């Protein structure tokens, strides 16, 4: 006697998936962003050199690049749940290492922790794609953008907890700049537990089971899947380029802004406020961005992101040291331009990638995005030290122009 497989309510699974991801993104974002405002300062203090201040963020981005591919492979074999839990737990371990680095005054330990923290960013990226596994194409951008929006809750709170983290650090006798990382480790562990319990059934496994044809292809390597997809669907390649340029422009300027402000005497609380406003721009308006991408198409929204980035970088380049309206407005628009570009480009990738290659293409594209940002981050400290912050903004503007060009290239695909 043949036993029929149980019928899965796709809509119900999608609703549960979105709700689960919203919570994990909100909690996990605290762990990702709480150290953003202090990471460059901690690296500067430990190394004794401002030219090395960007290394912590650079190594975190490199960790994101490596984890993006590794977690993608894990997700392809085991589903989104196992991959996301692994990413959050690695991030929690990295945050703890950052605390240890401050205590023992070791740059090597700090960079090792930063690499592990990168796995959390990779997990967050995987979460936005998990939201699209079961979403219909006409609402896919909105599904993705809702999960991106959820990051706002923790991401805005995170940098503003720098004062709380400093107080905690003083109370337990650890360096003041490591308190945020201690709080972040707890948040990341909580996010891992939530995903482990709640992301059932797994949306990717359900999508694979519901596919009309088999989706496994173990004989093909991840890179081959990626290159084959880009060759067959040029819009995917253009979207990857756009997302990489937008992320690199954002990271390059954002990581050096705390130092630019500190040089002018800005207090740590003001620096945290600027970073919070930046993060607000990155995530808070993403549902509107997703709605626009679903209604008017992905390429126009992608190019609008490039234009917004150029405006933001012009403001940042004109901002004096310390606190100014230009730095507040510039960092906010820098985040907003990133949001436009990332939501639109990610949706193009989700739209046009075959299910069999989905995690491989998504993971490789996130790796490319992270490596580009790592290159910019590595140059950021040197550029600021030798030429100044305005030149750094001009350098990032070249990447912003790349977003516009890549967005125009995606117009060749009529489905977008």
């Amino acid at each position: 006697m043949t036993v029929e497989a149980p019928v899965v309510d796709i809509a119900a699974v999608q609703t549960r998936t979105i709700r689960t991801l919203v919570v994990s993104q909100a909690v996990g974002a605290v762990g990702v962003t709480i150290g953003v405002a202090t990471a460059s300062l901690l690296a500067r203090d430990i190394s004794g050199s401002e030219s090395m201040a960007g290394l912590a963020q650079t190594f975190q981005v490199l960790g994101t690049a490596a984890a993006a591919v590794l977690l993608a492979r894990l997700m392809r074999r085991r589903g989104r749940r196992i991959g996301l839990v692994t990413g959050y737990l690695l991030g929690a371990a990295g945050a703890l290492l950052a605390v240890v680095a401050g205590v023992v005054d070791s740059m090597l330990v700090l960079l090792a922790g930063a690499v592990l923290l990168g796995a959390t960013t990779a997990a967050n990226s995987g979460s936005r794609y998990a939201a699209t596994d079961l979403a219909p194409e006409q609402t896919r951008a909105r599904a993705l953008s809702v999960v991106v929006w959820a990051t706002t809750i923790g991401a805005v709170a995170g940098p503003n907890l720098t004062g709380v983290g400093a107080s905690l650090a003083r109370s337990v006798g650890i360096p003041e700049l490591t308190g945020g990382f201690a709080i972040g480790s707890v948040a990341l562990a909580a996010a891992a537990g939530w995903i482990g319990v709640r992301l059932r059934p797994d949306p990717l496994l359900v999508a694979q089971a519901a596919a009309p044809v088999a989706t496994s292809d173990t004989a093909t390597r991840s890179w081959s899947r990626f290159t084959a997809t880009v060759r067959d669907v040029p819009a995917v390649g253009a979207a990857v380029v756009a997302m990489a340029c937008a992320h690199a422009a954002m990271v390059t300027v954002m990581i050096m802004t705390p130092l630019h402000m500190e040089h002018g005497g800005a207090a740590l609380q003001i620096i945290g406020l600027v970073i919070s406003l930046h993060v607000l721009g990155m995530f808070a308006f993403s549902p509107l961005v997703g709605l626009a991408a679903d209604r008017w198409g992905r390429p126009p929204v992608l190019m609008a992101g490039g234009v917004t980035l150029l405006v933001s970088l012009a403001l940042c380049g004109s901002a004096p040291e310390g606190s100014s309206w230009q730095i507040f407005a510039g960092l906010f628009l820098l985040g907003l331009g990133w949001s436009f570009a990332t939501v639109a480009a990610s949706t193009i990738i989700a739209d046009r990638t075959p299910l069999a290659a989905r995690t491989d293409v998504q993971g490789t594209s996130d790796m490319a995005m992270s490596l580009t940002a790592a290159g910019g981050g590595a140059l950021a400290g040197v550029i600021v030290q030798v030429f100044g912050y305005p030149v750094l903004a001009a350098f990032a503007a070249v990447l912003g122009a790349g977003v516009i060009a890549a967005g125009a290239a995606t117009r060749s695909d009529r489905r977008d």
Side-chain angles (χ1 to χ4, degrees), residues 19 21-31 33 146-161 276 279-280 282-284 286:
R19 290 174 178 173
L21 295 174
V22 163
V23 174
S24 65
Q25 287 287 96
V27 176
V30 173
T33 61
V146 165
V147 173
V148 172
W149 167 85
T151 311
T152 309
I153 302 169
V156 172
N160 279 306
L161 288 174
S276 292
V279 174
L280 187 73
M282 289 177 67
F283 302 116
S286 57

Side-chain angles (χ1 to χ4, degrees), residues 197-255:
V197 172
R198 291 283 302 175
L199 199 62
R200 301 171 184 267
D202 190 291
L204 181 59
L205 298 183
V206 171
Q208 291 172 344
V213 295
T215 61
S216 60
D217 186 9
T218 57
T220 304
R221 293 185 178 183
S222 298
W223 180 251
S224 299
R225 292 169 184 259
F226 173 77
T227 55
T229 301
V230 169
R231 182 183 63 247
D232 295 339
V233 190
V236 170
V240 171
V241 170
M243 193 159 58
C245 287
H247 193 61
M250 184 273 292
V251 169
T252 299
V253 173
M254 180 269 293
I255 63 173

Side-chain angles (χ1 to χ4, degrees), residues 40-404:
S40 59
L41 302 178
L42 181 60
R44 189 269 319 270
D45 288 354
I46 292 176
S47 67
S49 171
E50 288 198 354
S51 65
M52 298 182 70
L55 278 183
Q57 184 68 30
T58 299
F59 271 70
Q60 183 171 337
V61 174
L62 288 173
T64 300
V69 175
L70 295 176
L71 294 183
R73 291 177 180 175
L74 183 58
M75 289 178 189
R76 175 158 57 88
R77 297 188 180 100
R78 303 288 301 277
R80 300 285 189 190
R81 184 173 65 89
I82 297 299
L84 295 179
V85 168
T86 300
Y88 284 128
L89 289 178
L90 288 174
L96 288 176
L97 277 181
V99 175
V100 173
V103 172
V104 302
D105 203 33
S106 170
M107 191 67 176
L108 184 62
V109 175
L110 176 62
L111 296 182
V115 169
L116 292 181
L117 269 170
T120 299
T121 306
N124 280 349
S125 296
S127 292
R128 80 181 190 275
Y129 285 125
T132 70
D133 286 333
L134 299 173
E137 185 173 350
Q138 63 270 24
T139 61
R140 192 167 290 149
R142 274 170 281 182
L144 183 148
S145 65
V146 165
V147 173
V148 172
W149 167 85
T151 311
T152 309
I153 302 169
V156 172
N160 279 306
L161 288 174
T162 53
V164 177
S167 298
L168 173 66
R170 289 192 295 269
S171 69
V172 298
I174 59 177
E176 185 174 298
L177 292 175
T178 65
F181 292 105
I183 296 174
S185 66
V186 176
L188 292 173
W194 174 261
I195 287 290
V197 172
R198 291 283 302 175
L199 199 62
R200 301 171 184 267
D202 190 291
L204 181 59
L205 298 183
V206 171
Q208 291 172 344
V213 295
T215 61
S216 60
D217 186 9
T218 57
T220 304
R221 293 185 178 183
S222 298
W223 180 251
S224 299
R225 292 169 184 259
F226 173 77
T227 55
T229 301
V230 169
R231 182 183 63 247
D232 295 339
V233 190
V236 170
V240 171
V241 170
M243 193 159 58
C245 287
H247 193 61
M250 184 273 292
V251 169
T252 299
V253 173
M254 180 269 293
I255 63 173
M256 297 310 297
T257 296
L259 282 175
H260 181 66
M261 295 182 67
E262 188 190 53
H263 287 163
L268 188 60
Q269 290 80 2
I270 299 298
I271 295 173
L273 182 60
V274 168
I275 296 299
S276 292
L277 193 63
H278 167 69
V279 174
L280 187 73
M282 289 177 67
F283 302 116
F285 303 96
S286 57
L288 296 178
V289 176
L291 180 63
D294 281 334
R295 179 169 297 181
W296 294 305
R298 313 344 180 184
V301 173
L302 184 52
M303 288 187 288
V307 172
T308 305
L309 286 173
L310 291 181
V311 173
S312 74
L313 293 166
L315 288 169
C316 290
S318 66
E321 292 181 344
S323 178
S324 66
W325 73 266
Q326 292 100 321
I327 207 69
F328 273 84
L331 263 289
F332 171 75
L333 291 176
L334 185 68
L336 187 63
W338 177 91
S339 179
F340 272 78
T342 301
V343 169
S346 298
T347 307
I348 291 172
I349 293 169
D351 285 342
R352 306 296 289 125
T353 303
L355 181 59
R358 182 171 294 176
T359 58
D360 295 301
V361 171
Q362 291 166 351
T364 304
S365 66
D366 282 347
M367 178 189 70
M369 177 176 71
S370 298
L371 288 176
T372 306
L379 291 172
V382 177
I383 291 174
V384 169
Q385 186 175 44
V386 177
F387 301 106
Y389 186 78
V391 174
L392 179 66
F395 168 75
V398 176
L399 297 169
V403 175
I404 298 174

